[in-house]
């Protein structure tokens, strides 16, 4: 992927090959500005690659599609709609009763009961992110792209949100590609962690996290993998 | 007094009333001490106001002024909002039209008076035209920048959920820009209320602007002039408060909070 800015070409992603299987939880880490978000935008169809291709189930990605939803770091929910309105945003093709059921299902799953008619400005940061995930899940996507979804939350809320996300992933088994800065987040969540190098980003390494859920943050294997990842990121930062 | 402490309920009413009373007193005694024969005291203005109400001309004049503002402002909104949304939606088109808008915008509607009379003669129509002009530009500019300022993240979410371009405009861009559009409408209504008075001093023989100029011309009744001015102020305030009340509607209130 090459960007043209002010007449200069900037190579952001280069020679990047990654296969993701159905239902897999992938975390992408790497130095800031390396192109993690660009990668998500390419996979989401918001950008077209300069060279190469993104294929999903053998089908090339051309443009955004409700089958794969991108969740933003913050301010992704629509402030002019209530919780119900946000969750139902992508459901206008459904009948009224179906839509109501779908909304009720995700209100419950995201523990937003009692806030159905609340506007986002009256929700906490964690609730807004839960709402954004609920809005994404409601259209029944195959893939969720999460761009540092918990990056703007405080550490306790972030920790709780990871638990919620794992619970939902285990219940609904969507493919999740999750961009983060946070090493612990990656080790807690992912089946595999993809480490990107600095720009132009290549895949520095792919680390399989072979610990079953729920993962203990003090287990020896957890700490071992965490250190490995830290070392690799350290390498990536110095490259 | 602690400036952080909330004022008591009675204080919220008491201090503004006291300020108003002091101002009235200053006005009254200035008239008394200078022994002016021309400028009216608050008491004679009050008598003038009662007279206007009893003669029933006041209600007709208020009605005429409000009707002209409603027509001119309504027309400006009907033309300005769709045009502003379109220009905001197509920045390339906006670049072409914007210089013309920026040249026309700072021209006071008052300067258009001769042109308005050539186009529309005398009567309601030139007045409505002037009000339309004065309200049109604030509405247009608010819509253009309202649409341009919609965060890209909202449009991307709209595209992600499979919305067509028209659906994105209707379901994402318009509601996202609505708070700014409302601000534009409120400014436009304020300007329209200023301009109706000026417009009624030239082309028509009714309305509050006409009442002001007619009270002066027919017998230098400055008590009636000032009474009419006060009525103009009060109605302007009411219109503005009405619009502020619109801003409290839940689906736009998010846009008027100062804290994020």
């Amino acid at each position: 992927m090459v960007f043209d800015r002010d007449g200069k070409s900037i190579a952001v992603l280069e020679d990047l090959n990654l296969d993701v299987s159905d239902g897999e939880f992938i975390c992408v880490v790497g130095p800031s500005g390396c192109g993690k978000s660009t990668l998500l935008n390419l996979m989401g169809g918001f950008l077209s690659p300069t060279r190469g291709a993104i294929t999903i189930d053998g089908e090339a990605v051309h443009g955004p599609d409700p089958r794969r939803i991108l969740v933003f770091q913050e301010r992704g929910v629509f402030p002019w709609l209530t919780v119900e309105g946000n969750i139902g945003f992508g459901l206008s093709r459904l009948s009224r009763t179906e839509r109501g059921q779908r909304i009720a299902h995700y209100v419950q799953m995201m523990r937003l009961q009692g806030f159905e008619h609340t506007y986002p400005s009256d929700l906490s940061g964690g609730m807004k992110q839960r709402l954004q995930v609920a809005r994404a899940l409601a259209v029944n996507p195959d893939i969720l792209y999460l761009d540092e979804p918990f990056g703007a939350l405080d550490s306790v809320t972030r920790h709780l949100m990871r638990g919620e996300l794992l619970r939902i992933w285990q219940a609904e088994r969507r493919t999740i590609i999750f961009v983060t800065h946070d090493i612990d987040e990656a080790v807690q969540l992912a089946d595999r962690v993809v480490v990107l190098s600095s720009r132009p980003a290549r895949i520095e390494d792919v680390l399989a996290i072979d610990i079953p859920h729920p993962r203990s943050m003090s287990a020896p294997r957890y700490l071992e993998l965490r250190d490995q990842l830290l070392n690799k990121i350290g390498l990536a930062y110095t490259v | 007094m602690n400036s952080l402490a909330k004022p008591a309920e009675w204080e919220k009413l008491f201090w503004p009333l006291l300020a108003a009373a002091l101002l009235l007193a200053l006005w009254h005694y200035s008239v008394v001490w200078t022994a002016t024969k021309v400028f009216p005291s608050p008491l004679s203005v009050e008598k003038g106001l009662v007279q206007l109400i009893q003669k029933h001309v006041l209600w007709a004049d208020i009605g005429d002024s409000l009707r002209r503002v409603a027509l001119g402002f309504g027309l400006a909104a009907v033309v300005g909002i769709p045009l502003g949304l379109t220009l905001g939606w197509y920045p390339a088109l906006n670049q072409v039209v914007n210089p013309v808008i920026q040249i026309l915008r700072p021209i006071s509607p008052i300067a258009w008076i001769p042109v308005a009379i050539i186009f529309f003669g005398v009567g309601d129509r030139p007045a409505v035209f002037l009000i339309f002009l004065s309200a049109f530009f604030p509405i247009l500019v608010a819509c253009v920048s309202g649409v341009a300022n919609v965060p890209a993240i909202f449009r991307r979410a709209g595209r992600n959920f499979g919305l067509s371009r028209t659906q994105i405009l209707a379901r994402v861009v318009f509601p996202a820009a609505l708070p700014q559009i409302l601000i534009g409408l409120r400014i436009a209504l304020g300007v329209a209320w200023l301009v109706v008075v000026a417009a009624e001093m030239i082309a028509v023989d009714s309305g509050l602007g006409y009442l002001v100029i007619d009270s002066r011309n027919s017998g230098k009744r400055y008590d009636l002039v000032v009474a009419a001015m006060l009525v103009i102020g009060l109605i302007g305030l009411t219109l503005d408060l009405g619009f502020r009340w619109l801003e409290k509607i839940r689906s736009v209130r998010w846009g008027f909070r100062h804290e994020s």
Side-chain angles (χ1 to χ4, degrees), chain A residues 30-198:
Chain A
S32 54
C34 78
K36 301 187 291 287
S37 294
T38 306
L39 181 62
L40 273 197
N41 278 307
L42 281 167
M43 292 193 287
F46 292 100
L47 294 170
S48 308
T50 353
R51 265 178 295 134
I54 315 277
T55 54
I56 295 169
D57 298 334
E59 193 188 321
V61 170
H62 296 291
D65 193 298
R67 284 175 299 177
R68 31 178 201 271
I69 299 288
L70 182 56
V71 172
F72 305 97
Q73 179 171 357
E74 54 178 341
R75 293 177 201 191
V77 294
F78 299 129
W80 57 89
L81 294 175
T82 59
V83 165
E84 268 191 354
N86 266 288
I87 299 178
F89 183 80
L91 304 177
S92 44
R93 290 203 189 99
L94 296 185
S95 73
R96 183 181 284 267
T97 43
E98 264 186 293
R99 190 165 60 228
Q101 283 166 0
R102 197 77 76 83
I103 291 169
H105 176 74
Y106 285 102
V107 161
Q108 190 161 25
M109 172 176 273
M110 286 299 169
R111 304 177 205 244
L112 290 164
Q113 298 101 317
F115 292 93
E116 289 89 342
H117 305 293
T118 306
Y119 283 83
S121 49
D122 294 334
L123 298 178
S124 68
M127 288 166 93
K128 273 187 243 186
Q129 286 311 80
R130 294 216 293 275
L131 175 58
Q132 214 192 143
V133 173
R135 184 182 69 187
L137 288 173
V139 296
N140 208 7
D142 303 326
I143 309 175
L144 272 189
Y145 300 121
L146 298 126
D147 193 356
E148 295 183 39
F150 311 143
L153 305 177
D154 66 87
S155 60
V156 176
T157 312
R158 211 182 309 161
H159 189 77
L160 295 173
M161 290 291 289
R162 286 178 206 148
E164 301 269 309
L165 186 63
L166 277 177
R167 183 172 61 80
I168 292 150
W169 176 66
Q170 284 166 334
E172 303 218 332
R173 280 290 159 181
R174 323 266 175 169
T175 309
I176 294 183
I177 300 181
F178 188 111
V179 162
T180 179
H181 278 305
D182 190 320
I183 310 279
D184 273 307
E185 195 158 76
V187 182
Q188 280 168 43
L189 294 173
D191 292 327
R192 286 190 295 156
V193 180
V194 177
V195 184
L196 296 184
S197 69
S198 57

Side-chain angles (χ1 to χ4, degrees), chain A residues 4-33:
Chain A
D4 283 316
R5 289 269 156 79
D6 306 325
K8 278 189 287 184
S9 301
I10 302 165
V12 179
L13 301 171
E14 216 168 70
D15 192 22
L16 203 142
N17 293 296
L18 180 67
D19 277 310
V20 181
S21 31
D22 196 23
E24 204 177 3
F25 199 133
I26 298 282
C27 277
V28 180
V29 296
S32 54

Side-chain angles (χ1 to χ4, degrees), chain B residues 109-119 130 202:
Chain B
I110 314 298
W112 283 86
I113 287 174
V115 180
I117 290 172
I118 293 174
F119 282 173
L130 290 175
I202 43 117

Side-chain angles (χ1 to χ4, degrees), chain B residues 42-186:
Chain B
L43 286 172
S44 55
V45 167
E46 192 256 349
K47 272 187 209 123
L49 198 58
V50 171
Q51 219 175 43
L52 281 178
I53 293 168
Q54 280 169 349
K55 283 201 294 182
H56 296 291
V57 284
L58 187 62
W59 302 118
D61 281 333
I62 290 175
D64 280 343
S65 290
L66 284 176
R67 191 190 70 241
R68 287 174 191 130
V69 165
L71 278 173
F73 176 79
L75 211 58
V78 166
V79 180
I81 293 174
L83 189 63
L85 292 176
T86 312
L87 291 181
W89 190 238
Y90 296 105
L93 184 63
N94 187 37
Q95 276 188 344
V96 175
V97 190
N98 194 44
V100 179
I101 294 171
Q102 295 307 329
I103 290 171
L104 292 178
R105 199 164 68 100
I107 301 174
S108 162
I110 314 298
W112 283 86
I113 287 174
V115 180
I117 290 172
I118 293 174
F119 282 173
F120 298 104
V122 287
D124 257 10
R125 290 200 301 175
V128 170
F129 172 71
L130 290 175
I131 294 154
F132 165 80
L133 271 182
S134 68
F136 176 71
F137 289 107
I139 293 174
L140 186 73
V141 170
C143 288
V144 173
S145 71
V147 172
N149 289 341
V150 172
I153 210 171
F154 292 157
R155 294 189 204 203
R156 279 209 285 168
R159 283 172 68 201
N160 204 168
F161 284 98
L163 266 58
S164 67
R165 277 177 72 81
T166 27
Q167 283 174 322
I168 289 178
L169 188 60
R171 292 184 57 199
V172 176
V173 172
F174 182 70
L178 196 55
Q180 218 174 325
I181 294 174
L182 275 183
I183 291 175
L185 287 173
R186 187 157 73 87

